[in-house]
Amino acid sequence: MATSRFTAMVQSKCPKCRIGKVFEGPTYGFKKQKMNEHCPHCGLRFELEPGYFYAAMYVSYAFSVGEVVTLGLATAMFTHSESPWVYVSVLFAAILIFAPFNLRYSRLVLLHYLSPKIVYSPAYQEALDKEVD
């Protein structure tokens, strides 16, 4: 059965075969996140051209704005504080906590949804299903 695009993105799978992993290891951990250069299953090169992932900064920026606005409003609703230091500390902590998430998923959104050159090929999944049977 074919994996949906959203499920493949959430599970950090390759956008072409939806089987191989884009990143090694978990999102949060003590090691630096390492992105594979090529898909271990289909061989797709993830960085399509030099500097390709600079475009992921725009996606990461959108994620950060959404997180900061949401947490700023939640802080205002729950604390009713007028002190700017409450907001600065909450938002600074949020930016640090969400940084690994933003790095990983901004690149995955770029690969899965914003890269017209990469097209899903169900043949890889069909070949894998035949091997299993």
Side-chain angles (χ1 to χ4, degrees), residues 48-123:
L48 300 178
E49 54 196 36
Y52 180 72
F53 288 114
Y54 283 125
M57 288 189 305
Y58 297 107
V59 179
S60 180
Y61 178 73
F63 284 170
S64 295
V65 167
E67 293 157 3
V68 164
V69 168
T70 302
L71 287 169
L73 291 173
T75 303
M77 288 176 58
F78 291 121
T79 65
H80 302 289
S81 175
E82 294 182 9
S83 171
W85 295 109
V86 171
Y87 296 98
V88 168
S89 60
V90 167
L91 298 179
F92 184 73
I95 289 170
L96 288 177
I97 291 169
F98 282 114
F101 172 87
N102 290 344
L103 170 80
R104 179 175 289 220
Y105 287 100
S106 64
R107 289 182 177 202
L108 289 168
V109 166
L110 179 68
L111 285 170
H112 281 273
Y113 290 101
L114 303 174
S115 298
K117 292 180 182 178
I118 301 174
V119 179
Y120 171 60
S121 177

Side-chain angles (χ1 to χ4, degrees), residues 1-8 11 13 17-19 120 125:
M1 185 168 137
T3 306
S4 72
R5 180 186 285 186
F6 181 77
T7 303
Q11 294 176 351
K13 302 286 185 172
C17 67
R18 296 184 186 168
I19 298 170
Y120 171 60
Q125 185 66 43

Side-chain angles (χ1 to χ4, degrees), residues 1 124-133:
M1 185 168 137
Y124 291 105
Q125 185 66 43
E126 291 168 5
L128 188 65
D129 290 342
K130 286 180 184 178
E131 286 179 15
V132 172
D133 293 336

